[in-house]
Amino acid sequence: MKLALLLVGFGHVARRFVALLDEMRPALASLDIDPVVVGITTLTHGSAFEAAGLDAVQAAQRRAEGDAIGPVAASLSTLECLRRLDSQSIETRVLVETTTLDIQSGEPAVSHVADALARGVHVITANKGPVAFRYRGLKELADAHGVSFLFEGAVMDGIPIFNLVRETLPGATIRGFRGVVNSTTNHILTALEQGEPFDRALARMQADGVAEADPTLDILGWDAAAKTAALANVLLDAGTTPRLVAREGIGPATAGLVRAARASGKRLKLVGRASRGPSGVDAAVELVQLDPFDPLGSLDGQGNALELDTWPLGRIVITQRDGGMEKTAYALFADLVTVARRVSSGWRA
Ligand SMILES: NC(=O)c1ccc[n+]([C@@H]2O[C@H](COP(=O)([O-])OP(=O)(O)OC[C@H]3O[C@@H](n4cnc5c(N)ncnc54)[C@H](OP(=O)(O)O)[C@@H]3O)[C@@H](O)[C@H]2O)c1
């Protein structure tokens, strides 16, 4: 099956995704999936559209060397590329959304996703924005147009959370969850336990490309709040946004709290949690002292973990020991395979 892909955003994740598609051609062929990248748009590095297919691997190489995708002055907008996608001869069309997130609004991704779904285009994304800010509305739009809206890479890179629940827990109830979902803050908290200064630990996360471009999004708890909102919206139908999630963060003064926790045999962790209560879903990101043998308390460095409180299976913990770009690219790959499988099985939302 041929799939026409429009890549909106062509940064680190999208370029790694393109390379992964190339590396995984044999696996794709065995699944009878033939993705064709027909369009690429960026904010400041031009765009390109070619109905017969672009050489996306070469475009990624050129972009990594600092070149633009196409003429910047006459750059095609994402909307224009979506219009061109309408007249594509390939029937199954997929928008791959990996733009930068505005934590206050979820844009521009929310609009990109809504525009695509309303045109009957499937969406796969690693962007937290759409699911953290507008999940309910976008899911309804996807269902109304009989297309998929998938976002496995948005919360724990490639670790299957949404797939796990959707595919392997039929009929189960998710009562709540708690998780360490931000690598930068967990790394800093671990470093503070070892007596390292806050600024040095943060600088290392920035140098390694793990911290967000604006690191205050990590340390003030915004990234964790966006992930908590995304999880709460999908797993608990919370209809919330990151701004409605009660939020704590960390700073140089957190070192004192870390030492106090250690003195009482505990570890300080930044935990995102949500649960159903009598008056709706209660969601928060907070600094908590945990037992070192707790699945979240035992996490070191950049480790992440999520504990789901389910019925009837009880508590299920999934741990991510090696996060990163390649895993996020794989989440997009897995979502793409899901789209293809759904289409070939005649699935309707
Ligand atoms: N990096 C990770 O490990 C990771 C992990 C999980 C999730 N994510 C999420 O994945 C997304 C992409 O991350 P990244 O690291 O690839 O970011 P990035 O390297 O900063 O790339 C972002 C891309 O989006 C483009 N863009 C921004 N606004 C746009 C607009 N209005 N229209 C079209 N293109 C636009 C940028 O264009 P220019 O090239 O012109 O700037 C750039 O190509 C983010 O939402 C991030 O939170 C990332």
Side-chain angles (χ1 to χ4, degrees):
M1 170 191 293
K2 270 200 189 312
L3 299 136
L5 309 190
L6 171 59
L7 309 183
V8 178
F10 202 51
H12 296 98
V13 170
R15 297 202 297 267
R16 188 65 194 89
F17 171 63
V18 158
L20 194 67
L21 285 183
D22 199 46
E23 290 158 23
M24 295 186 79
R25 284 276 162 203
L28 286 167
S30 71
L31 293 163
D32 190 26
I33 298 172
D34 181 12
V36 180
V37 175
V38 296
I40 302 172
T41 68
T42 70
L43 185 62
T44 57
H45 290 94
S47 59
F49 194 96
E50 180 54 61
L54 297 160
D55 187 338
V57 173
Q58 202 184 70
Q61 275 162 4
R62 283 204 315 271
R63 183 64 210 92
E65 285 159 12
D67 293 342
I69 304 302
V72 174
S75 190
L76 291 168
S77 68
T78 296
L79 204 55
E80 176 54 28
C81 287
L82 272 171
R83 284 198 195 103
R84 293 188 182 194
L85 204 59
D86 281 345
S87 49
Q88 258 288 322
S89 56
I90 301 174
E91 210 172 296
T92 305
R93 298 159 300 150
V94 184
L95 180 102
V96 185
E97 220 291 351
T98 59
T99 63
T100 327
L101 171 66
D102 174 353
I103 199 71
Q104 298 302 326
S105 65
E107 294 291 359
V110 169
S111 298
H112 292 153
V113 172
D115 288 345
L117 295 174
R119 288 168 178 270
V121 174
H122 302 273
V123 172
I124 63 177
T125 181
N127 196 318
K128 296 174 272 292
V131 73
F133 283 86
R134 278 272 299 283
Y135 175 65
R136 222 180 256 167
L138 293 172
K139 177 71 171 61
E140 281 168 11
L141 200 54
D143 291 352
H145 289 84
V147 290
S148 293
F149 168 40
L150 300 169
F151 35 76
E152 194 56 66
V155 171
M156 279 172 79
D157 297 344
I159 300 297
I161 297 295
F162 301 114
N163 285 338
L164 176 90
V165 172
R166 194 180 57 233
E167 304 295 336
T168 69
L169 301 179
T173 303
I174 309 294
R175 295 187 286 219
F177 64 83
R178 62 184 190 115
V180 167
V181 290
N182 180 268
S183 302
T184 297
T185 46
N186 200 56
H187 174 85
I188 295 173
L189 289 171
T190 309
L192 292 177
E193 284 177 339
Q194 290 155 5
E196 198 179 336
F198 182 93
D199 290 341
R200 200 161 78 202
L202 173 59
R204 191 164 50 246
M205 288 296 88
Q206 290 178 283
D208 290 353
V210 176
E212 292 282 327
D214 171 4
T216 60
L217 295 181
D218 292 307
I219 62 176
L220 298 183
W222 278 114
D223 177 72
K227 289 171 175 166
T228 300
L231 288 162
N233 286 342
V234 180
L235 303 180
L236 303 170
D237 192 25
T240 192
T241 75
R243 289 207 264 179
L244 297 175
V245 174
R247 180 177 47 82
E248 279 187 289
I250 64 171
T254 309
L257 298 175
V258 167
R259 280 194 298 274
R262 283 306 253 180
S264 50
K266 304 278 188 184
R267 301 186 78 188
L268 196 71
K269 295 289 166 193
L270 190 67
V271 172
R273 59 150 187 87
S275 56
R276 291 182 203 280
S279 52
V281 173
D282 171 36
V285 172
E286 53 202 13
L287 277 169
V288 290
Q289 289 192 4
L290 295 177
D291 188 280
F293 300 109
D294 181 296
L296 305 187
S298 62
L299 292 169
D300 285 318
Q302 296 173 38
N304 280 196
L306 185 74
E307 182 177 273
L308 300 172
D309 179 14
T310 78
W311 180 88
L313 284 186
R315 288 172 296 166
I316 300 168
V317 181
I318 186 155
T319 303
Q320 177 197 58
R321 301 183 67 174
D322 310 297
M325 205 99 61
E326 188 167 70
K327 284 78 182 172
T328 307
Y330 178 76
L332 290 170
F333 176 91
D335 283 348
L336 189 69
V337 172
T338 301
V339 168
R341 281 180 168 158
R342 284 179 172 183
V343 171
S344 57
S345 71
W347 167 93
R348 246 339 256 188

